[in-house]
Amino acid sequence: MSQTTGSGEVAVVGVTKRFGETTAVKELSLTIPHGSYCCLLGPSGCGKTTILRMIAGHEKPSSGDIRIGGQSVIGLPQVQRGTAMMFQSYALFPHRSVLDNVAFALKMRGVGLADRHAKARELIEKVQLEKFADRLPGQLSGGQQQRVALARALITNPRVLLLDEPLSALDEFLRLRMRGELRRVQKELGITFVHVTHTQLEAIAVADMVVVMAQGHIEQAASARDIFVAPRNAYVARFVGGQNVLSGSVESTMNGVAAVAGRNGARYAIPVGDQRPMRGSPLWGSIRRDRVAIEKIAPGAKPSTGLNAVVGEVHTLENQGTYVKVTLDLANDEEFVAHVPDDSFFAQPLDIGERVVARWSASDVKLLDDALIASDSAPAGAVMATAR
Ligand code: ATP
């Protein structure tokens, strides 16, 4: 039986990939530990599929090295790499049963019928499709076909499974179920999964390690929790979502906290640790949407703001079940978002068009490293909400 052994640590070492004039991946280095679930996350065209294809051996780097288990795999066929790929289109053979679809790769490797069916049944059990082993793919739901594709990819005992947008063809309900399944199977097998997605919450939900990419390079590679609660810069904060980005110019710094002047009189306290930013220099911070409190303004009253508060008009209200997403239009035409727990929201509901103060605590603000922000930086003084 075909068996790949050895560590599933994947190292991308100083890799550049050019397609003619386009540089899809630029001097990128990344180590994905053995047995971890890694998501490559980024907008369309940022190079994530190209990285996956280079790990799989479908593309060759223009320069740099790809190592699996410490060994360079450049030029090696997939069988010797110990990788397998699962695609968003399941590409199952329509006239073969589930059992034969799953067993197919072993047939190609010359494994006898009894052995390959035994192994296929083992995997069919792992993805909980025992009852469907004799069906044709056309007799299965989308979610079941997806499980067949997973079992089929795993039959060669890969040490690294590469998943290219594996859930994008499923409806919302199945997507949520299947992502839990992927995570469960990955933990059970203990092999490395590298999963490409442009869906932030999918990455946060399944991954041990999330790699946020932009234009062929990495903006941040960290645990899913850190990516969400401690984004490194404004790009990651905005792309991953769940944050408002604050910026302005430094007025003064005292006891590790900078007072920053934003646009339209807004002022923020941004913790800077032992850094001493120069007066007048731009500074960036982020505040989680669920750490922002909304206060109503009594008719005719002049709101008191001070540090860490902005005044805005309610633009949209979206009930998300456990919280309500409140989007404010600020005086400077920027957006600001608060996630208000459902209990507090419905105790004192807001109306669209109502003027409110959004307030937060200085201790919840995180410093962003604006030096890392690429060309998409906003002008100092802007308050930017994240995209979603
Ligand atoms: P998506 O989410 O849309 O799949 P991606 O982040 O996976 O995007 P890639 O498919 O890796 O992005 O593409 C990165 C860049 O390289 C893009 O500008 C793309 O047009 C270019 N590119 C990818 N493959 C080729 C190719 N075979 N020939 C020419 N250009 C390519």
Side-chain angles (χ1 to χ4, degrees), residues 224-231 240 243 286 288 291 364 366:
R225 175 148 175 85
D226 276 358
I227 290 283
F228 193 73
V229 302
V240 174
Q243 305 273 350
S286 66
R288 280 169 59 164
R291 296 289 196 264
D364 285 329
K366 297 267 188 291

Side-chain angles (χ1 to χ4, degrees), residues 19-20 22-25 42-51 53 59 164-165 196 198:
F19 295 104
T22 307
T23 303
V25 174
S44 184
C46 71
K48 48 198 192 299
T49 304
T50 303
I51 294 180
R53 289 174 56 77
E59 297 286 356
D164 189 5
E165 297 274 3
V196 159
H198 56 253

Side-chain angles (χ1 to χ4, degrees), residues 69-140:
Q71 303 284 312
S72 176
V73 292
I74 304 287
L76 288 186
Q78 190 164 320
V79 181
Q80 285 172 38
R81 287 174 185 240
T83 57
M85 193 128 175
M86 181 173 150
F87 299 94
Q88 55 177 281
S89 56
Y90 325 124
L92 301 176
F93 299 113
H95 304 299
R96 288 181 199 270
S97 67
V98 166
L99 185 68
D100 284 333
N101 262 285
V102 174
F104 184 75
L106 294 187
K107 183 177 181 182
M108 289 295 95
R109 294 179 185 194
V111 177
L113 186 76
D115 281 350
R116 66 177 189 258
H117 275 183
K119 178 71 185 168
R121 283 192 192 282
E122 205 180 285
L123 283 162
I124 286 170
E125 199 177 312
K126 202 163 281 308
V127 298
Q128 295 165 344
L129 282 179
E130 300 92 315
K131 281 190 285 184
F132 304 101
D134 299 323
R135 285 210 193 163
L136 297 176
Q139 299 168 316
L140 299 177

